[in-house]
Amino acid sequence: MLEAAFVLPRWLKNPHLQTLGAAVPLFAPPRSHAVPAEDLRIPLPEGGRLHARAWWCDGKKPVVVILHGIGGSSESSYVVRAAVAIHRAGYHVVRLDLRGAGESIPDAPSLYHAGLSQDLDVVVEFLARDARVRDVSVLGFSGGGAISLKRAGQWGARVPASVRSVVSVSAPLDYTRVAPWMDRLARIPYRFHVLRGLSRGARAFALRHPERAPYRATDVRRMSSFRHYDSTVIVPMHGFSDVDAYYSQASAGPWLSHIEVPTLVVHADDDPMVPGFTVRPWLTTASSSVEQVMSAHGGHIGWVSGFDESSWIDGWATQRALAFLRKHAPV
């Protein structure tokens, strides 16, 4: 495990201020990146489609698929900023809406959950068939990072031929610890932000697909906790026996020891949403294919060092992700 220093002004070391930076819509994208995006429609085996937004480069290049966090979408500020940096580095970039998130709601057969990793196979196979794509890498933020890590572990030695690398940033590895942590009184601001996104998506899904939703749109108008949301929406929709079983089965931590594709885990110990003490135990049992970079500061998807464009687009975590991509999936 590499303990790496994230150098920043003292007044920016507050983890809550760092975490706020992930949500602030600055430079998402910057005016200097006026690149047209292509809308992708990715068919699912059981019917329906996933939606994504692609920025293409000239020629046959590696593509990086970016997965948003729980309650987010392909338009989340941190996703767009990372996509700008990666596209500027010469990679094709695809920003994915997980099923039932963002633009995927109209065509979704169900809502995604924290451990629903099989859709990543569909995305990889779809992109690998594109003549513009040489190979595929995955970059997941927060819950999207956990989904990416879980799928990498499930692949084991049977990694799809096109996949070169996986990167996770601020990923929760153990929902049995993170979910109760987030439901604490002190986490209200973060819980409100994430639950607002989840509730908005769940309401839209129920209104669009009432026959597929085991709840009413009014049932998710005011969600008091993650446990409340998960027991109302996720457990009955996906057939888990109860919330605790869902948290256990969704967690990526137990899968890290099975990973054989080159993988990078980036995390900050002071992450107020996914604290380091919930992550480190699983990293000690991770396979040798998993590189680990831990910083003392950085918050949750933060690592903001200033207020100029470079500080937001070419941030500390993004630069480490890019260095890893260049090593395993060079342009």
Side-chain angles (χ1 to χ4, degrees):
M1 183 185 299
L2 174 62
E3 304 286 347
F6 166 48
V7 180
L8 73 169
R10 180 176 297 180
W11 63 274
L12 266 177
K13 285 187 177 180
N14 184 287
H16 304 294
L17 191 60
Q18 284 289 322
T19 301
L20 179 63
V24 172
L26 285 175
F27 307 110
R31 294 179 181 178
S32 59
H33 198 77
V35 179
E38 179 185 342
D39 291 325
L40 302 180
R41 303 292 184 266
I42 305 172
L44 290 166
E46 68 269 43
R49 298 179 296 181
L50 299 175
H51 289 226
R53 302 275 284 172
W55 282 333
W56 301 105
C57 298
D58 293 331
K60 194 178 184 72
K61 300 283 183 66
V63 64
V64 179
V65 182
I66 303 182
L67 275 62
H68 59 81
I70 303 297
S73 75
S74 64
E75 296 300 322
S76 293
S77 297
Y78 57 89
V79 169
V80 175
R81 287 193 288 263
V84 170
I86 292 168
H87 187 255
R88 284 177 173 174
Y91 291 87
H92 301 314
V93 183
V94 171
R95 293 180 281 126
L96 180 69
D97 278 318
L98 298 173
R99 64 166 71 193
E103 296 299 317
S104 288
I105 290 175
D107 296 324
S110 66
L111 294 171
Y112 73 91
H113 63 72
L116 192 113
S117 58
Q118 61 265 35
D119 285 355
L120 195 51
D121 285 10
V122 178
V123 176
V124 167
E125 292 170 8
F126 178 87
L127 292 173
R129 292 194 298 268
D130 194 300
R132 294 167 289 189
V133 172
R134 192 172 73 212
D135 49 59
V136 183
S137 290
V138 181
L139 168 59
F141 288 95
S142 192
I147 288 173
S148 303
L149 292 173
K150 182 179 179 183
R151 199 57 182 171
Q154 291 171 326
W155 286 332
R158 297 185 298 275
V159 182
S162 61
V163 175
R164 293 292 176 269
S165 61
V166 173
V167 179
S168 80
V169 177
S170 299
L173 302 184
D174 189 346
Y175 286 109
T176 67
R177 301 186 73 184
V178 172
W181 171 266
M182 285 292 290
D183 277 341
R184 291 182 178 183
L185 183 63
R187 308 271 88 77
I188 282 180
Y190 301 120
R191 186 164 68 250
F192 172 79
H193 174 72
V194 178
L195 281 174
R196 181 175 60 179
L198 287 173
S199 297
R200 186 186 300 120
R203 287 197 304 273
F205 182 85
L207 291 171
R208 187 65 179 258
H209 310 289
E211 75 286 356
R212 301 177 191 170
Y215 60 90
R216 299 168 300 175
T218 54
D219 294 337
V220 292
R221 182 167 296 167
R222 291 183 178 87
M223 294 276 97
S224 59
S225 66
F226 285 104
R227 196 172 189 88
H228 183 192
Y229 172 85
D230 292 328
S231 64
T232 302
V233 177
I234 299 302
V235 167
M237 177 176 284
H238 293 282
F240 292 101
S241 59
D242 56 36
V243 175
D244 293 322
Y246 162 50
Y247 291 157
S248 177
Q249 293 173 42
S251 294
W255 291 100
L256 265 62
S257 61
H258 301 280
I259 293 176
E260 294 196 21
V261 64
T263 297
L264 174 67
V265 174
V266 181
H267 209 91
D269 267 322
D270 70 350
D271 187 326
M273 299 176 70
V274 187
F277 67 79
T278 69
V279 171
R280 284 181 176 272
W282 295 107
L283 295 181
T284 62
T285 61
S287 78
S288 59
S289 297
V290 181
E291 294 186 26
Q292 308 158 22
V293 178
M294 297 287 293
S295 63
H297 304 286
H300 188 74
I301 322 179
W303 293 284
V304 178
S305 59
F307 290 98
D308 59 302
E309 180 178 317
S310 179
S311 296
W312 292 81
I313 299 298
D314 303 312
W316 187 89
T318 301
Q319 287 306 302
R320 274 142 187 80
L322 269 172
F324 192 79
L325 290 170
R326 290 184 179 117
K327 178 181 178 182
H328 296 285
V331 175

